[in-house]
Amino acid sequence: MKKIVFATNNAHKLQEMRQMIGNDFEVLSLSDIGCHEDIPETSPSIEGNARQKACYVKEHYGYDCFSDDTGLEIDALGGEPGVRSARYAGDDHNSEHNIDKVLLKLGDRKDRTARFRTAIALIEGERITIFEGKVEGNILTERHGEGGFGYDSIFAPVEADGLTFAQMTAQEKNAISHRGRATRKLIAYLLGK
């Protein structure tokens, strides 16, 4: 079985990705390969951050690798939090604080349209390929649901009849999510070789 590194130590993202890829590849995490440093994410775009992380793993550890970066873009906030989604309320990656900041900044605005965008950068040898996924939705005024992670409890995808990602099963979420859409493109590419 081919091994490929997913440049993350986020247990939720790793579990989602392993479920979606199934048994076709052995997906290794950063800790599985002994990478414990904080990989820089200094690009002004999600595509750039995904590429930066994948290239770091390839350069320092020698593995073919894919990395993702995701941004929540809220129209009424001019696209914020965007590339800063994970650190919107500070560098501690605290999802609850990030959600609090979004809800505070949105206040009682009527326009709550938003989208999640994911970019996955795959590096194999010297070749880099980017896969993108996007899902449109709305930001609710309060949290709903216990599942998911990040902003899932306040994001209701258009095609989910008012449910948030946090109210869905993993399978339901993966079927329509930004990461699911980008991952299916990645898997189709990998299996098509």
Side-chain angles (χ1 to χ4, degrees):
M1 182 184 303
K2 182 175 177 181
K3 294 183 179 183
I4 192 163
V5 174
F6 180 19
T8 189
N9 277 320
N10 181 314
H12 295 291
K13 284 166 63 169
L14 186 63
Q15 180 182 359
E16 270 188 8
M17 193 64 73
R18 284 178 172 160
Q19 284 176 338
M20 292 183 68
I21 289 182
N23 298 323
D24 296 306
F25 290 86
E26 181 180 357
V27 180
L28 304 174
S29 70
L30 291 175
S31 61
D32 290 336
I33 63 168
C35 177
H36 302 289
E37 53 267 38
D38 195 13
I39 299 175
E41 294 179 67
T42 56
S43 173
S45 71
I46 63 170
E47 296 84 1
N49 279 339
R51 179 187 303 259
Q52 189 175 20
K53 290 185 285 187
C55 289
Y56 183 95
V57 170
K58 183 68 172 180
E59 181 181 331
H60 290 88
Y61 293 88
Y63 286 92
D64 285 349
C65 175
F66 65 91
S67 175
D68 77 329
D69 197 33
T70 295
L72 173 63
E73 300 170 345
I74 302 170
D75 294 329
L77 300 182
E80 287 184 10
V83 73
R84 298 271 311 147
S85 292
R87 298 174 176 85
Y88 194 45
D91 286 334
D92 61 353
H93 296 259
N94 186 308
S95 294
E96 293 306 309
H97 293 161
N98 290 338
I99 289 172
D100 289 343
K101 184 172 180 179
V102 163
L103 294 177
L104 182 66
K105 286 190 86 170
L106 275 177
D108 59 1
R109 293 184 198 199
K110 297 283 185 241
D111 178 10
R112 303 182 81 83
T113 57
R115 75 209 41 80
F116 268 118
R117 282 196 322 115
T118 291
I120 297 176
L122 169 68
I123 184 164
E124 300 172 290
E126 300 296 315
R127 182 186 172 112
I128 299 174
T129 310
I130 304 289
F131 306 91
E132 294 181 288
K134 179 172 75 168
V135 61
E136 299 287 339
N138 292 286
I139 303 299
L140 303 185
T141 56
E142 59 187 29
R143 293 164 175 84
H144 292 277
E146 301 297 320
F149 61 96
Y151 297 92
D152 285 356
S153 65
I154 60 168
F155 183 83
V158 170
E159 57 260 62
D161 295 327
L163 293 178
T164 66
F165 276 149
Q167 293 172 296
M168 298 178 189
T169 67
Q171 292 79 10
E172 289 169 337
K173 178 184 173 185
N174 289 340
I176 63 170
S177 78
H178 47 294
R179 186 171 295 107
R181 290 172 176 168
T183 301
R184 281 188 289 282
K185 292 177 185 177
L186 168 71
I187 293 168
Y189 175 85
L190 290 171
L191 297 182
K193 298 190 137 208

